[in-house]
Amino acid sequence: MMKAALVLLSLVLCMLGGFAGQGQPEADRTTLRRSVEPSPAAPPAPRFEYVDVYVDCGDKPLAAWQVELKAAAGKASIVGVEGGDGVYSQAPYYDEQALQHERVIVGGLSTLAPEQLPSGRVRVARVHVMIEAEAEFGVTVMAAGLADGTRFDASGSIERGQAPGANK
Amino acid sequence: MSEHDSNLEPPVALRESLVRGYTPPTAPSAIDAAVLAAARRDFDRSRRRRRIWLTAGPLAAAAGLALAVFVMWPTTPPPGGPRAGLLAAGSNDLNADGAIDMLDALTLARQVASGRGVDLNGDGVADSRDVDALARRAVRLDGGAS
């Protein structure tokens, strides 16, 4: 009974809306159309990208890594973190408080035998970001280690890309 | 009183006749009953309304108070947050290199794998959850890695 009354009320409102629209002068409708068009000065809509994070460990097997990714300029915020390739394809460790902020520390480890660990330029993570104003990102390798826990120097790099269908 | 005023008094016979002729108005008993019933209905209705207010008032006040307490109740964790209790006892710099990072988590993972790990989260066993806890601490933005 109640549902029927609500449906009836909705129908009446729709009909009233339709009549109101029909009765509106052409000039007013033009004004309405204009008002919803974006003004030329409006800031661009935010877009979504990903940042692939690489650790280049040379010929050493990478058993543990930790990097800091930071938007060095512009305005960008982290919206998600996922794994990289191979051994590090699972989601890495990161602080969830980094989401919606411009800085994240990401890390991962593997207890596999050295011969099973990746070496060279390893894609360790993919960080999804929302760009509001053209941003630059910087990556710093905080730690890289061999299977026995020995620390070694490694360099970090990033590659940016646009996820298919992310900015439709 | 003047003589003129006393002339306004009606004659006694007329007065007695008027008194005799007057009969007070009487309503039929049906009307009496209807009026009485209507009055009772009104009275009952206002009494019911008062009773509802007397019941609903305190209930609404209690609900409001409960809502206020719920909204105002501090939901923020105690200083340090839930993480404060986690791994708080030790320095967790397992490899003693002056930093808590993924290398410590790797060290712990290797220890756990060899059956001699440290129970960092206080759940009574040394397992992968301790490794996870230490790794999560290492990537904290608020200085867990330092």
Side-chain angles (χ1 to χ4, degrees):
Chain A
M1 182 68 184
M2 189 73 169
K3 212 181 275 183
L6 281 173
V7 169
L8 193 63
L9 184 65
S10 309
L11 280 174
V12 169
L13 286 175
C14 286
M15 285 169 69
L16 285 177
F19 289 141
Q22 279 178 351
Q24 198 170 34
E26 183 60 29
D28 285 1
R29 277 194 256 173
T30 311
T31 312
L32 270 179
R33 271 203 296 273
R34 277 200 197 122
S35 67
V36 296
E37 285 169 6
S39 69
R47 65 178 196 278
F48 293 90
E49 289 188 5
Y50 62 79
V51 179
D52 279 337
V53 180
Y54 293 86
V55 174
D56 193 341
C57 51
D59 56 357
K60 299 185 178 74
L62 187 64
W65 58 273
Q66 182 171 328
V67 300
E68 180 190 45
L69 179 74
K70 194 175 180 181
K75 192 172 180 196
S77 48
I78 316 287
V79 294
V81 179
E82 63 176 283
D85 291 331
V87 170
Y88 297 115
S89 60
Q90 287 203 336
Y93 294 101
Y94 69 98
D95 191 340
E96 286 179 5
Q97 289 186 17
L99 297 179
Q100 308 302 325
H101 293 89
E102 75 292 340
R103 173 178 167 255
V104 66
I105 297 174
V106 193
L109 63 89
S110 170
T111 53
L112 290 175
E115 57 273 16
Q116 293 174 285
L117 292 171
S119 58
R121 190 168 182 251
V122 183
R123 190 173 75 93
V124 290
R126 173 170 283 185
V127 179
H128 293 270
V129 292
M130 182 176 74
I131 313 281
E132 288 176 84
E134 195 45 56
E136 295 295 322
F137 291 92
V139 64
T140 308
V141 177
M142 301 171 74
L146 300 174
D148 63 358
T150 307
R151 184 185 297 272
F152 67 90
D153 289 332
S155 59
S157 58
I158 56 165
E159 277 179 21
R160 286 169 67 169
Q162 213 166 70
N167 298 298
K168 277 183 182 171
Chain B
M1 190 177 280
S2 69
E3 189 183 347
H4 180 74
D5 288 337
S6 64
N7 286 342
L8 291 176
E9 284 291 321
V12 174
L14 174 62
R15 201 164 53 205
E16 285 173 355
S17 167
L18 284 172
V19 167
R20 269 198 309 274
Y22 174 74
T23 52
T26 54
S29 63
I31 292 179
D32 260 358
V35 169
L36 206 58
R40 272 204 192 106
R41 263 200 312 274
D42 277 355
F43 181 68
D44 283 350
R45 202 176 300 145
S46 64
R47 202 163 49 181
R48 257 201 313 273
R49 209 171 295 149
R50 200 165 50 238
R51 203 179 302 145
I52 287 171
W53 276 113
L54 282 175
T55 313
L59 275 177
L65 190 65
L67 185 66
V69 168
F70 177 73
V71 169
M72 306 280 286
W73 197 262
T75 53
T76 49
R83 292 165 165 181
L86 185 72
L87 313 174
S91 77
N92 306 302
D93 179 12
L94 299 187
N95 58 6
D97 64 352
I100 298 170
D101 55 24
M102 293 307 292
L103 297 187
D104 297 291
L106 176 64
T107 302
L108 181 60
R110 288 166 51 83
Q111 289 175 356
V112 166
S114 65
R116 46 184 186 86
V118 186
D119 174 23
L120 291 180
N121 61 6
D123 66 354
V125 286
D127 56 14
S128 62
R129 278 174 288 200
D130 297 287
V131 178
D132 288 343
L134 184 52
R136 278 197 296 271
R137 175 173 179 169
V139 296
R140 264 165 48 179
L141 292 176
D142 59 358
S146 58

